[in-house]
């Protein structure tokens, strides 16, 4: 058969790819002259003539059927043109497996239906109907063994439905040779599948839109044809039969799928309920989670969960949500109460307080928990202070002698400034405290001093955190950022209102600290009405200056620590006033104690004289005062912000009077020693260290001190005190900024000179009176008469005895103190010369021999003691010589001179002590 037309030529197809039963439009040339001319149509080798619809010579519409080849040509065969060719190709995609409940726009070939529930080789749940090839590209099994892959991916799986799915394992196993472009295509397929799932029914409608239109066209055509026939309402008509058939088909379909659809609806409702539970399980589990986290102390987790629930369900109208949210609010309210109780619980650390305040702030607790905490902490500090006092007072009454171990300062290991205090105080004590004290020193600490140490330590351990809590309250660091923003305006108002309240709290703490300290250390400085609250120690003895100095050091360090917290100075002024009063009291107590110690110095007198005629008593006296002043060095020193101890005139006067009293007490001790009976003298020997030879033999060890010797020793000490000790003490007073030093020196010197003069007169009276009293009996011994006497042959014995007695006085004084010799002998010679002058003036007349004898004796005495003559004694000797008749002849003068030389020669040894030249000014 000859062909009258050109063979068909396919130049285009739309779409150019798709799954089986996809509707395509074929365009080209010479595609036939009519439907009867089209005798063949194949796409990818599959005959599609059955579904072909010839539209024109350039257009044919058909559906792609099942084919063996994935890609192939479109071949059209016509009667007029024969078998054609194609310039384009069509790619056949593998169809997705559709489950019995999946929607589909085309009829599913049930013979090829694949239900994954029947695939027992897959470990997939029955309801999981997922494609076997999720990437949508050709699977090429790799050559890697399963064991190697399991070793390489230990604990993982290549099954994409497994929890331990490994993408790398899946790609190596199924797509080891796949190109990168194909992998990119696989990504596109995955995205398309994800979008299709998200689109749901809308995607289904869009995908099968053409099918719906075709069905609509077919139904419209049937309807029109039936209307044209007019048989749609006739019983037994085709329309009636078709309706019955369709109703039966619908009923049969319902019967077939009713059970499975019912299960599907139930599963969907269950799934929806599970989804709701899963989606809102946070709210449903929140009450139980809150209780668990509260028990574990995870308050941050509770607060975060509560904030999240409040933002999500705080304004919900769903009843079940409102019910569960109400349970959450109930538990949060219980948490607020729990946190507030913990916040107000004492004792607690600053870190915990800040944490609880921040929690309560985040939970929007009513009121002001931070201020409540500050108030509770204030009451706790005051309670601790008063409990500390009550404990020490009770312990004092039970064990008045010892420092209770229960109140041991070392038991509290919290960091405090008292560690530094104890070290500093021990260094500051120096000479005032016992050097080389033993380990039991702390057990001898008076209860009141130990209480002050404990009290200050307690304040320093609590007040810094209390102050820092207030500072944090003021600057807002106690609150979280959210809470701070929400309550910033209100809190700023509260801070302004409560600054005065907090200032009163600090003042009350400082007031209690000062009052309790005064009650312990200065009980007389508190009023009677406050004695029970702040005092009650019931001690009779006053604290010594040493312990007061130790307490002052403790209070000072406390003040420094509180100042370091930047507490305003006006709040700490009461502590400064306390320190000043303690310093004044310490000075007074130390001076009073010094006077007591000096009063006991008389008991320590050993009467051992050195080569200067002194005992150790003046040195002990000076050392005692120096040590006392040294112990007051730290007390008298003014720390920054402190006033001088001597700023008040009353204090100056009292200190001056106490200093004078110390001097006079020592002067009284000297007086007592000088008049002490012999039986009360403990020393049984006199130790002497002199450079000159002993004229009267060595002094034996059993030599007992006489009252005259004690007088001499005291006189020697008085001289040293006047020339050295009192002046040195005045310098020490001036060095320590004492006031009224001139008055102290003048009054002390006057008292000392008065005692010296009184003792000197007593000694002279003891020594001079016997010598003076022996002159007159000696002169007139043997009924001697100046008018009738023999020519003189020498000095008579009475004068020699008087000289020997004077020499004995000289020896006694010289043995004690060389410096006292001129003073004593001058006064003794004054008394002797005065008595001798009186006796000469009482003689009515002298014979020649009597006058010569009297002149010999007067001149012998005068020349012998010439080195110790004073103007008074010289005048007495002159008056005595003037009372005698003058020598008229040279023979008498020569005889007088010979007799004088004879006397001096015969008593040369005895008179040696009077021949030493003295350049010392003799005292009157």
């Amino acid at each position: 058969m000859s062909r009258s037309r050109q063979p068909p030529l396919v130049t285009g197809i739309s779409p150019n790819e798709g799954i089986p039963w996809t509707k395509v439009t074929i365009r080209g040339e010479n595609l036939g002259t009519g439907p009867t001319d089209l005798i063949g149509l194949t796409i990818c080798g599959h005959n599609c003539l059955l579904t072909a619809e010839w539209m024109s010579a350039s257009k044919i519409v058909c559906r792609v059927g099942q084919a063996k080849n994935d890609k192939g040509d479109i071949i059209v065969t016509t009667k007029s043109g024969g078998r054609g060719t194609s310039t384009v190709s069509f790619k056949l995609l593998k169809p997705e497996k559709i489950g019995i409940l999946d929607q589909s726009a085309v009829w599913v070939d049930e013979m090829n239906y694949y239900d994954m529930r029947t695939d027992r080789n897959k470990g997939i749940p029955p309801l999981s109907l997922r494609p076997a090839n999720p990437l949508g590209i050709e699977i090429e099994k790799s050559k890697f063994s399963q064991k190697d892959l399991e070793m390489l991916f230990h604990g993982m799986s290549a099954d994409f439905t497994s929890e331990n799915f490994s993408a790398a394992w899946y790609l190596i196993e199924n797509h080891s040779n796949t190109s990168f472009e194909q992998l990119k295509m696989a990504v596109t397929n995955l995205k398309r599948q994800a979008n299709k799932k998200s689109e749901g029914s809308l995607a289904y409608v869009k995908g099968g839109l053409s099918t719906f239109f075709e069905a609509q066209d077919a139904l419209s055509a049937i309807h029109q044809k039936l209307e044209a026939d007019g048989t749609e309402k006739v019983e037994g008509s085709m329309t009636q039969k078709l309706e019955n058939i369709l109703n039966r088909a619908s009923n049969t379909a319902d019967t077939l799928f009713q059970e499975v659809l019912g299960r599907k609806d139930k599963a969907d409702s269950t799934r929806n309920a599970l989804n709701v539970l899963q989606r809102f399980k946070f709210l449903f589990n929140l009450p139980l989670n809150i209780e668990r986290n509260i028990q574990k102390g995870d308050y941050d987790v509770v607060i975060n969960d509560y904030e999240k629930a409040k933002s999500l369900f705080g304004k919900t109208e769903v009843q079940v949500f409102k019910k569960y949210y109400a349970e959450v609010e109930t538990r949060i309210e219980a948490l607020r109460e729990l946190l507030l109780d913990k916040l107000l619980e004492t004792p607690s650390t600053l870190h915990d307080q800040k944490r609880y305040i921040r929690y309560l702030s985040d939970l929007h607790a009513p009121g002001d928990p931070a201020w409540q905490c500050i108030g509770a902490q204030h009451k706790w500090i005051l309670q601790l202070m008063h409990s500390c006092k009550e404990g020490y007072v009770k312990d004092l009454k039970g064990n008045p002698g010892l420092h209770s171990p229960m109140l041991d300062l070392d038991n509290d290991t919290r960091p405090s400034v008292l560690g530094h205090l104890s070290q500093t105080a021990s260094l500051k004590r120096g000479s005032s405290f016992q050097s080389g004290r033993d380990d039991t020193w702390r057990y001898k600490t008076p209860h009141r001093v130990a209480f002050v140490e404990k009290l200050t330590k307690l304040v320093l351990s609590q007040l810094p955190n209390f102050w820092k809590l207030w500072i944090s309250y003021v600057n807002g660091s106690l609150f979280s950022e959210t809470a701070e923003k929400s309550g910033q305006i209100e809190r700023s108002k509260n801070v302004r209102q409560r600054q005065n309240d907090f200032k009163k709290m600090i003042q009350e703490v400082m007031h209690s600290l000062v009052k309790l300290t005064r009650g312990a250390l200065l009980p007389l400085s508190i009023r009677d009405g406050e004695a029970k609250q702040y005092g009650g120690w019931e001690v009779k003895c006053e604290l010594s200056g040493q312990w007061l100095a130790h307490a002052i050091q403790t209070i000072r360090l406390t003040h420094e620590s509180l100042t370091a917290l930047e507490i305003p100075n006006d709040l700490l002024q009461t502590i400064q006033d306390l320190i000043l009063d303690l310093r004044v009291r310490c000075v007074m107590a130390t001076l009073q104690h010094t006077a007591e110690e000096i009063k006991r110095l008389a008991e320590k007198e050993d009467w051992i004289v050195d080569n200067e005629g002194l005992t150790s008593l003046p040195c002990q006296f000076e050392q005692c005062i120096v040590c006392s002043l040294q112990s007051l060095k730290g007390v008298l020193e003014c720390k920054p912000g402190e006033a001088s101890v001597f700023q008040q005139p009353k204090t100056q006067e009292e200190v001056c009077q106490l200093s004078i009293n110390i001097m006079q007490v020592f002067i009284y001790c000297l007086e007592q020693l000088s008049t002490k009976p012999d039986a009360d003298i403990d020393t049984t020997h006199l130790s002497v260290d002199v450079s000159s030879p002993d004229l009267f033999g060595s002094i034996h060890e059993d030599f007992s001190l006489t009252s005259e010797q004690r007088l001499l020793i005291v006189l020697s000490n008085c001289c040293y005190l006047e020339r050295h000790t009192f002046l040195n003490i005045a310098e020490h007073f001036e060095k320590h900024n004492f006031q009224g030093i001139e008055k102290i020196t003048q009054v002390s010197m006057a008292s000392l000179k008065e005692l010296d003069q009184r003792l000197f007169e007593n000694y002279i009276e003891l020594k001079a009176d016997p010598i003076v009293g022996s002159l007159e009996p000696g002169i007139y011994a043997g009924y001697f008469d100046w008018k009738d006497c023999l020519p003189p042959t020498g000095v008579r014995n009475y004068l020699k005895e008087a000289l020997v007695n004077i020499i004995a006085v000289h020896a006694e004084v010289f043995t004690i103190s060389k410096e006292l010799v001129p003073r004593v002998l001058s006064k003794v010679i004054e008394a002797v010369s005065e008595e001798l002058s009186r006796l000469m003036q009482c003689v009515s007349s002298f014979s020649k021999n009597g006058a010569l004898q009297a002149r010999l004796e007067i001149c012998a005495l005068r020349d012998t003691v010439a080195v110790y003559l004073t103007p008074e004694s010289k005048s007495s000797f002159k008056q005595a010589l003037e009372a005698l008749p003058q020598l008229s002849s040279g023979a008498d003068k020569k005889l007088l001179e010979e007799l004088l030389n004879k006397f001096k020669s015969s008593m040369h040894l005895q008179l040696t002590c009077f021949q030493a030249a003295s350049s010392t000014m003799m005292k009157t």
Side-chain angles (χ1 to χ4, degrees):
M1 182 178 64
S2 62
R3 299 175 180 172
S4 60
R5 296 181 67 87
Q6 294 291 328
L9 176 64
V10 177
T11 59
I13 184 171
S14 178
N16 60 2
E17 64 178 8
I19 62 174
W21 307 113
T22 301
K23 186 176 182 180
V24 296
T25 301
I26 303 172
R27 296 183 184 276
E29 300 174 357
N30 304 320
L31 298 181
T33 58
T36 58
D37 190 40
L38 182 64
I39 60 174
L41 175 61
T42 60
I43 298 176
C44 297
H46 186 271
N47 187 5
C48 300
L49 183 60
L50 183 61
T51 60
E53 182 181 356
W54 185 89
M55 306 298 291
S56 66
S58 61
K59 179 180 178 181
I60 298 175
V61 177
C62 71
R63 288 188 180 274
V64 180
Q66 294 286 351
K68 296 181 179 180
N69 299 325
D70 293 338
K71 192 173 185 181
D73 296 334
I74 300 94
I75 305 299
V76 178
T77 305
T78 62
K79 293 179 180 180
S80 60
R83 182 181 177 85
T85 59
S86 174
T87 61
V88 295
S89 61
F90 181 84
K91 183 177 181 182
L92 187 64
L93 301 177
K94 293 184 178 181
E96 296 182 359
K97 294 180 174 59
I98 300 176
I100 59 175
L101 301 179
D102 292 339
Q103 296 174 338
S104 176
V106 296
W107 186 259
V108 178
D109 186 3
E110 296 183 1
M111 296 299 294
N112 296 326
Y113 169 72
Y114 175 73
D115 190 352
M116 297 181 70
R117 290 176 293 179
T118 62
D119 190 354
R120 302 302 180 185
N121 296 326
K122 300 291 185 178
I124 303 175
L127 294 178
S128 180
L129 304 178
R130 299 190 181 183
N133 184 12
L135 300 183
I137 58 177
E138 184 179 0
I139 295 177
E140 298 178 3
K141 292 294 182 178
S142 65
K143 299 179 181 180
F144 295 98
S145 64
Q146 192 72 14
K147 292 184 178 180
D148 294 340
L149 291 174
E150 290 178 355
M151 292 178 62
L152 182 62
F153 301 98
H154 180 69
M156 308 301 289
S157 173
D159 183 3
F160 58 85
T161 62
S162 174
E163 293 182 358
N164 300 325
F165 171 68
S166 173
W169 187 352
Y170 179 82
L171 291 175
I172 292 174
E173 184 178 10
N174 298 289
H175 301 283
S176 59
N177 298 324
T178 304
S179 65
F180 183 69
E181 294 298 329
Q182 288 180 313
L183 291 176
K184 290 173 64 177
M185 187 182 301
V187 173
T188 304
N189 293 336
L190 286 174
K191 291 181 179 178
R192 186 185 300 116
Q193 293 176 13
N195 292 334
K196 186 181 295 184
K197 291 180 179 179
S198 63
E199 291 175 358
S201 299
L202 180 61
Y204 154 72
V205 173
K206 290 173 62 178
L209 192 59
S210 60
T211 305
F212 284 116
F213 288 159
E214 291 175 2
Q216 178 65 27
D217 292 342
L219 291 174
S220 297
I222 294 172
H223 181 68
Q224 291 174 3
K225 189 173 182 180
L226 291 175
E227 283 185 345
D229 293 342
T231 59
E232 69 277 6
K233 297 182 180 179
V234 179
E235 186 68 28
S237 64
M238 183 182 68
T239 304
Q240 188 68 35
K241 293 178 181 180
L242 180 60
E243 182 180 358
N244 294 334
I245 292 172
L246 290 176
N247 288 333
R248 288 196 302 270
S250 176
N251 293 333
T252 302
D254 289 342
T255 302
L256 290 174
F257 290 96
Q258 184 176 8
E259 183 179 356
V260 67
L261 290 176
R263 290 199 300 270
K264 179 179 181 299
D265 292 339
K266 185 176 181 181
D268 289 342
S269 62
T270 303
R271 189 179 298 109
N272 291 336
L274 291 175
N275 287 337
V276 170
L277 291 175
Q278 182 66 22
R279 181 180 177 184
F280 301 105
K281 68 177 182 179
F282 165 73
L283 177 62
F284 299 140
N285 295 333
L286 187 55
L288 181 59
N289 290 337
I290 288 177
E291 291 184 356
R292 290 176 178 174
N293 289 326
I294 289 175
Q295 292 176 358
K296 292 189 294 184
D298 294 337
Y299 303 121
D300 290 314
V301 177
V302 175
I303 293 172
N304 292 334
D305 290 346
Y306 172 66
E307 290 293 337
K308 182 179 178 182
K310 186 176 181 181
S311 63
L312 293 176
F313 307 102
K315 299 180 180 180
T316 184
E317 296 297 333
V318 181
Q319 291 300 321
V320 65
F321 291 165
K322 292 176 67 175
K323 180 179 179 181
Y324 274 88
Y325 185 73
E327 288 292 329
V328 171
E329 284 290 354
T330 302
R331 284 160 174 77
I332 290 299
E333 183 61 31
L335 176 60
R336 292 192 188 105
E337 296 177 359
L338 174 64
L339 291 176
L340 184 60
D341 293 340
K342 287 183 174 291
L343 176 63
L344 302 181
E345 182 180 340
T346 52
S348 61
T349 63
L350 179 62
H351 173 73
D352 290 340
Q353 291 171 351
K354 289 184 175 181
R355 190 160 56 94
Y356 294 140
I357 291 173
R358 190 173 292 110
Y359 290 154
L360 289 169
S361 174
D362 292 339
L363 291 174
H364 309 287
D368 193 347
W371 181 251
Q372 289 179 276
C373 178
I374 291 174
Q377 195 68 15
H378 169 247
K379 293 180 181 178
W380 168 249
I381 294 175
L382 294 178
Q383 181 182 351
L384 282 179
M385 296 169 68
H386 286 279
S387 298
C388 180
K389 190 266 292 186
E390 295 299 330
Y392 270 87
V393 171
K394 183 178 180 181
D395 186 67
L396 175 63
K397 294 178 180 179
N399 299 297
L402 294 176
H403 168 48
S404 173
M406 177 185 66
L407 302 171
D408 190 355
L409 294 175
D410 296 335
N411 287 341
D412 194 344
T413 59
R414 290 177 295 180
S416 172
V417 75
L418 285 182
H420 168 71
L421 183 151
S422 60
Q423 298 177 2
T424 307
S426 63
L427 294 176
K428 293 288 184 182
R429 283 191 290 270
S431 59
S432 65
F433 279 7
Q434 300 175 3
S435 60
R437 68 179 187 216
D438 55 18
D439 294 337
T440 61
W441 176 83
R442 54 183 297 279
Y443 292 102
K444 300 175 183 177
T445 305
H447 278 70
R448 289 177 288 169
V449 176
F451 160 69
V452 172
E453 289 184 347
K454 184 70 174 181
L455 181 66
T456 54
K457 185 175 182 180
L458 186 150
V459 172
L460 291 179
S461 65
Q462 298 293 332
L463 196 60
N465 290 340
F466 183 60
W467 180 260
K468 292 175 183 177
L469 183 64
W470 164 253
I471 296 300
S472 301
Y473 179 79
V474 172
N475 59 31
S477 61
L478 284 176
F479 312 97
S480 63
E481 184 176 354
T482 303
E484 182 179 1
K485 290 180 179 178
S486 62
Q488 188 172 5
I489 299 177
E490 182 179 358
R491 188 166 43 77
S492 62
K493 294 180 181 178
N494 292 338
V495 169
R496 287 193 296 270
Q497 294 172 357
R498 286 167 175 167
Q499 278 182 345
N500 292 332
D501 295 337
F502 183 77
K503 185 176 181 180
K504 291 179 181 178
M505 289 182 181
I506 294 294
Q507 287 176 340
E508 188 174 0
V509 173
M510 295 297 103
H511 175 81
S512 297
L513 173 64
V514 171
K515 288 291 185 181
L516 288 171
T517 304
R518 286 184 179 276
L521 304 180
L522 302 172
L524 298 179
S525 65
I526 58 176
R527 296 190 294 268
D528 294 338
E530 298 175 337
K532 183 177 180 181
Q533 182 179 3
Y534 298 105
W537 291 92
E538 298 180 2
V539 288
K540 298 180 181 179
C541 59
E542 293 291 335
L543 288 172
S544 66
Q546 297 174 346
W547 289 115
L548 285 174
H550 179 71
I552 290 170
Q553 182 68 7
T554 303
I555 303 297
R556 276 176 167 173
L557 290 175
T558 303
H559 182 270
E560 291 177 6
S561 300
L562 296 178
T563 304
L565 294 175
E566 299 181 355
I567 297 177
N569 290 330
D570 58 334
L571 299 178
L572 302 178
Q573 185 58 42
T574 54
I575 299 182
Q576 287 282 25
D577 297 339
L578 170 64
I579 293 175
L580 179 60
D581 292 346
L582 283 173
R583 292 167 63 203
V584 172
R585 180 57 197 155
C586 180
V587 172
M588 301 295 183
T590 301
L591 293 179
Q592 292 172 356
H593 180 70
T594 303
E596 295 296 327
E597 287 187 349
I598 290 174
K599 186 181 296 184
R600 292 191 293 269
L601 285 180
E603 302 172 2
K604 301 178 182 180
E605 177 62 277
D606 53 8
W607 301 104
I608 299 177
V609 182
D610 60 9
N611 56 357
E612 295 181 1
L614 304 174
T615 64
S616 62
L617 202 61
C619 183
Q620 292 180 15
F621 169 63
E622 182 178 354
Q623 186 64 26
C624 184
I625 293 181
V626 170
C627 289
S628 297
L629 295 178
Q630 186 66 25
S631 69
L632 293 174
K633 182 178 180 181
V635 176
L636 296 174
E637 180 182 357
C638 294
K639 299 293 182 180
E642 293 182 357
S644 172
V645 173
F646 306 108
Q647 68 173 358
Q648 297 294 334
K650 181 180 178 181
T651 304
Q652 296 179 13
E653 182 63 28
E654 290 179 357
V655 171
C656 179
Q657 191 59 43
L658 287 173
S659 302
I660 293 174
N661 183 56
I662 290 174
M663 301 294 194
Q664 291 179 340
V665 164
F666 184 68
I667 293 172
Y668 177 76
C669 288
L670 294 176
E671 184 176 5
Q672 292 296 107
L673 287 172
S674 64
T675 58
K676 197 171 185 181
D678 293 344
D680 295 341
I681 301 300
D682 296 332
T683 306
T684 58
H685 67 278
L686 179 65
S687 176
V688 184
D689 180 15
V690 294
S691 56
S692 60
D694 188 355
L695 299 179
F696 297 97
S698 61
I699 301 177
H700 300 286
E701 292 184 357
D702 57 351
F703 186 84
S704 299
L705 287 175
T706 62
S707 59
E708 293 87 349
Q709 288 174 329
R710 291 202 304 276
L711 276 174
L712 283 175
I713 293 174
V714 173
L715 279 172
S716 177
N717 287 338
C718 287
C719 293
Y720 185 82
L721 289 170
E722 182 181 354
R723 292 196 304 269
H724 300 285
T725 304
F726 277 17
L727 298 179
N728 293 341
I729 292 174
E731 291 180 1
H732 286 294
F733 281 145
E734 185 176 2
K735 181 180 178 181
H736 290 81
N737 299 321
F738 273 56
Q739 304 297 318
I741 299 176
E742 293 182 0
K743 180 180 178 181
I744 296 172
T745 305
Q746 290 175 0
V747 175
S748 302
M749 286 291 190
S751 299
L752 181 65
K753 289 179 180 179
E754 180 184 356
L755 173 64
D756 177 84
Q757 187 63 31
R758 190 165 61 252
L759 296 181
F760 180 74
E761 290 175 357
N762 290 341
Y763 184 77
I764 295 302
E765 183 179 352
L766 290 174
K767 293 299 181 182
D769 286 356
I771 299 175
V772 170
S774 65
L775 289 179
E776 185 174 2
I779 290 175
Y780 296 105
Y783 302 101
F784 179 81
D785 188 3
W786 294 108
K787 299 177 182 178
D788 183 15
C789 60
L790 297 175
T793 58
V795 176
R796 289 185 295 169
N797 290 334
Y798 82 92
L799 187 60
K800 293 180 181 180
E801 290 179 2
L803 285 174
V804 170
N805 290 332
I806 293 174
I807 291 172
V809 173
H810 180 282
E812 184 179 64
V813 176
F814 187 86
T815 304
I816 302 300
S817 174
K818 301 175 185 178
E819 296 180 358
L820 284 176
V821 171
R823 182 184 178 191
V824 173
L825 289 188
S826 298
K827 209 64 178 177
V828 171
I829 291 171
E830 282 182 10
V832 173
S833 62
E834 182 180 356
E835 179 65 16
L836 192 59
S837 174
R838 185 187 68 80
L839 292 175
M840 293 299 106
Q841 291 176 3
C842 290
V843 177
S844 58
S845 62
F846 291 91
S847 64
K848 177 181 178 181
N849 291 335
L852 186 60
Q853 183 71 41
R855 187 175 296 276
L856 171 63
E857 292 173 351
I858 293 173
C859 290
L861 179 60
R862 184 193 63 185
D863 294 346
T864 301
V865 298
V867 71
Y868 298 112
L869 292 179
T870 63
E872 289 79 3
S873 58
K874 289 179 181 179
S875 175
S876 297
F877 279 118
K878 182 178 179 182
Q879 292 175 4
L881 291 175
E882 289 176 352
L884 300 177
Q886 297 295 325
L887 295 178
S888 56
S889 63
D892 292 339
K893 295 179 179 179
K894 183 176 180 181
L895 178 61
L896 177 63
E897 184 176 357
E898 289 177 356
L899 292 174
L900 282 174
N901 291 333
K902 179 181 177 182
F903 166 74
K904 293 177 182 180
S905 176
S906 62
M907 296 192 66
H908 173 73
L909 182 61
Q910 289 82 356
L911 301 180
T912 302
C913 63
F914 298 121
Q915 295 176 1
S918 175
S919 61
T920 305
M921 295 296 296
M922 291 177 288
K923 298 180 181 181
T924 59

